Each structure stands twice: as C-alpha cells, then as structure tokens.
Amino acid sequence: MDVRRRFPKSSSRKDAVAKGVEHPLQPAQASDAFLLPLHLTNKVFFVLFFASAYYLMGRWREKIRASTPLHVLNSWEILAIFSLLASIIYLLGFFGIDFVQSLISRPDEFISHPVCPPVVDTPPPPPPPQITGEDAEIVASVVSGAVPSYSLESRLGDCHRAASIRRKALQITSGRSLDGLPLDGFDYASILGQCCEMPIGYIQIPVGIAGPLLLDGREFSVPMATTEGCLVASTNRGCKAIYLSGGATSVLTRDAMTRAPVVRFGTAKRAAELKFYLEDPIQFETLAMVFNRSSRFARLQVIQCTLAGKNLYMRFSCSTGDAMGMNMVSKGVQNVLDFLQADFPDMEIVSISGNFCSDKKPAAVNWIEGRGKSVVCEAIIKEDVVKKVLKTTVPALVELNMLKNLTGSAVAGSLGGFNAHASNIVSAVFIATGQDPAQNVESSHCLTMLEPVNDGKDLHVSVSMPCIEVGTVGGGTQLGSQSACLNLLGVKGANMESPGANAQLLATIVAGAVLAGELSLMSAQAAGHLVQSHMKYNRSSKDVCKAGC
C-alpha cells in the first residue's frame, strides 16, 4: 500500500509549504516567494513604478521652479525613490522571477526534498551499429575525419561497401538510427560519378500504372511514381474516358533545349555590336558549325539576344536527340563563346547560365517561346462517357474550366498555371522514368481547355504544354528501375533510326497522361466528389502510433 502523502489536484505548492510539507508533484516555483498570486504581484509593481515615477517628477519640477536643491529629500520622497528602485528591480526580472526571488529570500528556504520529475515514455537511444573487422577501423577513421567520406568509393573499390561504411559512420556521429532507410538491393556502382554523391541508401517510392492510354492509335501503360493517394486512380479514370471516346491525338510543335550565357562589356554600345553580330543570318552558319561540334546530335536552331545595359544575354536553342540535353547545349555554348573571344577580346564571360534559359524556374520566356518539347494533346469525350464514367455534364465542365483554370488562375497572376494539377502527373511520370524532378517547374506549364462540340453534346479537351523537358538517355534514365519504366513505354535508350524520336514520344505520353489527369480531376470537382474520394482512398486506417512502436 502506498502510504505517501497525496495532495488534491487543486492544492498548490504554496499551500504545502505553509503546512510544512513538500508537495510531491510540483517543483519549487519562484512565485512562492510572494504573498500575493503572481498576476496580482505584477499589477502591484507596475502601479508602484508609474506612481513613484510620476510623484518624483512632479516634486523635482517644483524644486527646480523654487530653486530648491534636488538632494534635499523629505521622508515621502525617500520612500518614493525606494519604491521606484524596487519596482525597477522587479520589472527587470519580470521574465526571470528567480532573480527577484534571490533578492527577497534565500533559495534554500524553498528547497526541501528533491522532487522526482514526471515519468515520460521516451524511446531509448538507438544502439550503435555492430561493426567488426576491417570495417571498424575504416568507420573510426571516417568518424575522426582522417578519411574523407567522399573518398570511400575510390579507396575501397566497392561502392556498396563504401555506402555501408558511410552509413555506419553517420549513425555514430549523428546518434540517429537509419533503420528505415534501405541499403541492400541497389546498384551503387551505377550512380558513381553521375547521379548521386556519398550515398547511404535509397528511397522507396511506389509505382502505379494508369491506362491503357490510347494516344495516336497506340496504347500505353503509364508508370507513375507517387505517394499521393487517388492520383493514379484519377489518372486511370481519365485514361478510360479517353479510351472509350476513341483515344487522344498529339502534335509536337517544337523541340529545342536552351542555354543562355551572360557576358559583359565596357559599354552598352559594344554589347550591342555582339548582339547584331549573333543575329546576323550571314554569321549563323559559322556559329552553328562551331556549336554543333560539341555532339553528334546537337544542332543549333536559333540565338535570341537581349540587352540589359552593358550586359548581353544570349539564348541558344538547339535540338539534342534523345537526351534531355542540358550538358550537350552547355558544351556547344562554351564552344561558341571561345570562338567569339577572338573577335571580341573585351568580352567578359560572367556565367555560362544567365537565367534567360530559363532552367528550373517559372519564366515567361519558357511559357511563350517554349523549352524542351512543346506538345499539344487533345481528345473529344462523348456525352455518354462524360455522364457514365466522369459522373458529370459537359456544360458543368466547360463552366468550371472557365472559372477555375482560366479566370481563377488569371486572378492569381499565374504564370503557366492555367490548369488543375498538371504538375501532379508530370512529377509522377518524371520520377518513374528517371527525369530531373526539379524541371517539373517549367515542364508543368500547361493550358487546359474544355469546349463543347457537336452542338454542345460532346466535350473537346486539350492541354497545351510548351516546355516538357525529358530524355531517354543520360541522367537517371540508365538506372535499373527507371530504365524498366522507360522500357514499358517503349522509349528506352536512344532511337538509332530516328535520333530524338524516343524523347519526343515520351513527351507526348506525358502530355497525354496530363490530359487524362486534368479531365478526371475537373470532373471530380464539377460533380463535388473530390473530398469524398480523398476521404475514402487517401486516408490511412492504420494506427500510426502502434505501427511506430
């Protein structure tokens, strides 16, 4: 039986101190030093401060007028000065009452028996990783800094072992466990020097399939890597509506990657001379020959220049085959800059990229001029499909598109965002196929149009996407899982018969998937089903607390 003295919940430590008994649950409080509750004590000292200050200023003003020495004090003035000092001391410690308590009484008057802290269920620190043999010495060297972590691959000659040692060293230095991050089952040699530096594991992202997407007479099963519920299901419903209506068609209007260096001259006139030189059709053939030496597939198309004072921005556009082409176009631009240096020795190259490209940033130049692949994809959805599959009507979809995608985006001042959720589909397909996820920024520029056709019975839906930046070679496309997804779409690697055809086809597939996703989400919002769908399919019933224990 527990015979320790217990106090009711309403009792305070001050009551316990008054009774000569230490409260077992509450630590000593600085406010216990005052006779009044803390909020009343605060009010008393605030009033005392202003009253004392007001009284002393009034008295000193009278003394100055009467030519009376200020150091001659009566008892009331002495009392006011002491009150002012006391209130100042209190207010200085207003946010640290322990300081005031130490001036009023000794701390040991309020410390009796030690108070046990409340019991909190905190998880124990993770045990250090088990390290044996030669690895233990290497881990110790990494932890001490004697061996740089980035040099493990070259020192050991084993990429998997290097990742394992780096991971163990990180757990020791951080004191954090990485048990949930997979290590085994990944080919770390495939990313060495090209995809990711200093790996310690890999992330698992589920890949779903939407389709079949009937596009230009061919069927595609579209892989989508995402952790968002309903996204694949919604896109799949859009694919079904397109399929039942005869499929979608696409047209690629432009294929050109861009890079825009910035150079500086002593005067704006001198910068303008280079601008006129670059835009001269007579000089273009020579510049194109210099540019195209960088690659078998690089073909310079146009150079667009703009001046900003004495600074010149040159936007080079070129085809890049089946590669996304950023490195390819950068090499070509560097060749041209080296060539120009002979005729313009006073040209100072500030940067190979001056943001007029514009890469991984929303920019009007991309929205208007395009970057990468420019694609328009369209379909006519039959009236009965709109009603039975999409659960809405043509007039409702047309009105929603006008008020949401067009007017709403205009009110928001959107730049290339005249759509419902194009970036959702673009990101999912990009991750699944090894594209650069950061280029989702401009690749998701999309104008969605919904219009009634055939006397208002059927629905014409289209997406115009001016800068889909994709490739089927290079970067993350050669990794095993991403390569498998590209193979599923029939666009893996380079097209030897028609260079660039695989990347162009991938861009049209992305646009087709966006068309399906836009159609389904707009229908869900027009029918008022969006919230119900997410509550049904995007809400986990798993007890997260129990799962984490």
Side-chain angles (χ1 to χ4, degrees), residues 161-191:
R161 184 184 174 199
S164 175
I165 290 175
R166 182 181 295 112
R167 178 191 181 103
K168 292 173 182 176
L170 179 62
Q171 291 183 93
I172 293 174
T173 56
S174 67
R176 303 284 183 177
S177 173
L178 292 173
D179 288 345
L181 184 68
L183 174 67
D184 299 325
F186 187 84
D187 182 10
Y188 293 96
S190 65
I191 65 173

Side-chain angles (χ1 to χ4, degrees), residues 22 40 101 133 137 162 198 200 260 278 341 374 418 426 481 535:
E22 179 62 47
L40 293 179
Q101 175 178 313
E137 298 180 5
M198 296 190 291
I200 58 171
L278 293 173
Q341 201 83 62
S374 300
F418 296 89
V426 172
S481 54
M535 292 300 292

Side-chain angles (χ1 to χ4, degrees), residues 397-410:
L397 283 171
V398 172
E399 180 183 32
L400 176 62
N401 184 71
M402 180 189 68
L403 294 178
K404 170 185 170 66
N405 290 340
L406 304 182
T407 309
S409 296

Side-chain angles (χ1 to χ4, degrees), residues 1-12 16 19 21-25:
M1 178 178 179
D2 189 356
V3 296
R4 292 175 296 176
R5 175 166 295 192
R6 302 180 183 273
F7 292 86
K9 293 182 179 179
S10 60
S11 66
S12 67
K19 297 177 181 178
V21 182
E22 179 62 47
H23 197 296
L25 299 178

Side-chain angles (χ1 to χ4, degrees), residues 4 105 157 209 228 261 318 335 432 438-439 520 525:
R4 292 175 296 176
S105 60
I209 289 295
E228 179 181 351
C318 79
N335 288 345
Q439 290 184 321
S520 183
Q525 293 184 356

Side-chain angles (χ1 to χ4, degrees), residues 6 12 21 31 69 73 75-76 136 145 178-179 193 251 259 280 328 373 409 426 473 516 525 539:
R6 302 180 183 273
S12 67
V21 182
S31 58
L73 305 175
S75 58
W76 288 106
L178 292 173
D179 288 345
V251 56
R259 176 59 85 197
D280 186 352
M328 189 183 301
K373 278 71 174 171
S409 296
V426 172
V473 296
Q525 293 184 356
R539 300 279 290 184

Side-chain angles (χ1 to χ4, degrees), residues 277 279-287:
Y277 176 88
E279 294 177 346
D280 186 352
I282 299 177
Q283 304 296 335
F284 182 80
E285 183 177 351
T286 302
L287 295 174

Side-chain angles (χ1 to χ4, degrees), residues 242-305:
I242 293 172
Y243 192 96
L244 295 176
S245 299
T249 58
S250 66
V251 56
L252 187 140
T253 61
R254 187 173 184 271
D255 183 4
M257 181 49 64
T258 64
R259 176 59 85 197
V262 53
V263 299
R264 181 166 52 203
F265 288 87
T267 63
K269 182 179 180 180
R270 183 62 172 157
E273 291 178 7
L274 178 56
K275 170 181 166 65
F276 298 144
Y277 176 88
L278 293 173
E279 294 177 346
D280 186 352
I282 299 177
Q283 304 296 335
F284 182 80
E285 183 177 351
T286 302
L287 295 174
M289 182 181 64
V290 173
F291 184 97
N292 297 344
R293 287 190 312 213
S294 61
S295 170
R296 292 179 298 159
F297 305 104
R299 294 295 178 267
L300 182 63
Q301 297 177 355
V302 66
I303 304 175
Q304 180 183 359
C305 299

